[in-house]
Amino acid sequence: MSSPVRRIVLADDHEAIRLGVRSVISSHPDWRVVGEAGDGREALEVVRSVRPDIAIIDYSLPMMNGLELTRAIKKELPRTEVLVFTMHDREDVLAELLTAGARGYLLKSEASKHLLAAVEALSLRRPYFSGNVSQTLLDRFVEMAAREASATALTPREREIVQLIAEGRLNKEIAAILELSIKTVETHRAAAMRKLDLKSTADLVRYAVRNNIIEP
C-alpha cells in the first residue's frame, strides 16, 4: 500500500534556498512542492489557495515574518503543519513559534542534515526541532503563552503594521499593501505605539529588532 502524497509549500525570499529545499523534497517519491513564495504575504495567499499538508517557511520573511505567517496559517488552516527555517538558535524565538503553532524548527546551518527527517516527522504529525534546546524551554514557552494572552498584546493587524513600518515603509505604502485607508493605518500604528510605550519610529524599529520581528 503506497504512502499518501504530502503536498508542500516553500516560502523564502532567497530563490537559491528555495531551489535547494525543492531539490531535497523532490528526492522523496511521496512529497510534492505545490507552491512557492518570496515573502510572507504571498506565502499566505499560496497556502490559502493550495491548502498544503506542510508549509516550510523562513523566519525572516519580508512583508510578514515567519512568526506572523505561522499564526495566520494555523488560524485559518490548523491541519497544515508548519516547519520554520531560522538562523536563530534562541529559546525565546522557539518559544514564540511554539506558541504560534509551529511543530518544526530547523536551523539553516543544519538544514542539509535535518531537512528530510524534519519533513518526515511533520508528515506523521510529530514535532521536530534542531539546535540546542535546553530544559528551560518549557518554562519559556509557558511565559510566552502568558504574554500572548495579556491585555496589552498587539493584535495581528498591529503586529503586521509594526513589521512594515520597521521595514521602512510609509503609511501610504502600508495602506496600499494591506488595502486599508491611510487613516486606519495611522490608528493601528498609534495603538501599537501606545501599547508598547514607544515615542518614535526609531523606538519602534529597535523594538522590532529586539523582538525578532525583523532582522537588524
Side-chain angles (χ1 to χ4, degrees):
M1 185 171 156
S2 62
S3 301
V5 172
R6 300 299 180 186
R7 303 167 69 255
I8 299 167
V9 163
L10 308 178
D12 195 293
D13 56 331
H14 296 98
E15 188 173 355
I17 291 178
R18 295 202 308 271
L19 180 61
V21 174
R22 191 190 323 130
S23 176
V24 173
I25 297 297
S26 299
S27 71
H28 195 290
D30 298 319
W31 299 345
R32 301 281 186 277
V33 174
V34 294
E36 297 187 30
D39 66 63
R41 292 187 63 78
E42 180 188 10
L44 183 56
E45 290 304 317
V46 171
V47 168
R48 283 169 172 161
S49 174
V50 302
R51 305 175 75 86
D53 299 295
I54 300 170
I56 302 175
I57 65 178
D58 178 27
Y59 182 87
S60 302
L61 286 168
M63 306 284 277
M64 176 186 284
N65 66 32
L67 176 60
E68 297 307 322
L69 179 56
T70 298
R71 286 187 177 119
I73 290 171
K74 296 306 289 186
K75 181 179 179 181
E76 296 188 30
L77 297 166
R79 297 283 295 171
T80 296
E81 298 286 8
V82 177
L83 171 62
V84 180
F85 268 152
T86 177
M87 294 184 295
H88 303 287
D89 188 11
R90 287 170 42 185
E91 289 174 355
D92 57 340
V93 170
L94 177 51
E96 285 185 314
L97 288 168
L98 282 170
T99 305
R103 297 258 286 172
Y105 173 92
L106 194 59
L107 293 175
K108 284 190 173 181
S109 60
E110 300 178 351
S112 60
K113 187 166 56 175
H114 290 277
L115 181 59
L116 283 171
V119 175
E120 186 69 53
L122 266 68
S123 72
L124 298 173
R125 302 203 175 278
R126 295 174 183 162
Y128 191 97
F129 305 106
S130 74
N132 300 316
V133 180
S134 80
Q135 295 299 310
T136 62
L137 174 61
L138 183 58
D139 293 336
R140 297 244 183 184
F141 175 60
V142 171
E143 178 188 330
M144 284 288 178
R147 190 182 309 168
E148 283 287 308
S150 73
T152 58
L154 298 181
T155 66
R157 179 66 84 193
E158 287 165 356
R159 289 193 298 264
E160 202 169 21
I161 288 173
V162 165
Q163 177 174 346
L164 292 169
I165 293 169
E167 288 177 353
R169 299 180 184 275
L170 302 175
N171 287 351
K172 184 176 180 181
E173 293 178 273
I174 296 170
I177 290 167
L178 301 181
E179 298 181 345
L180 301 172
S181 70
I182 293 174
K183 184 171 180 56
T184 299
V185 171
E186 290 171 346
T187 299
H188 284 303
R189 177 180 183 147
M193 294 186 72
R194 183 178 65 254
K195 288 180 181 180
L196 300 172
D197 194 26
L198 303 175
K199 308 301 181 189
S200 67
T201 300
D203 289 340
L204 190 146
V205 172
R206 282 191 289 270
Y207 168 86
V209 171
R210 196 167 57 244
N211 288 274
N212 310 307
I213 295 171
I214 62 165
E215 291 288 315

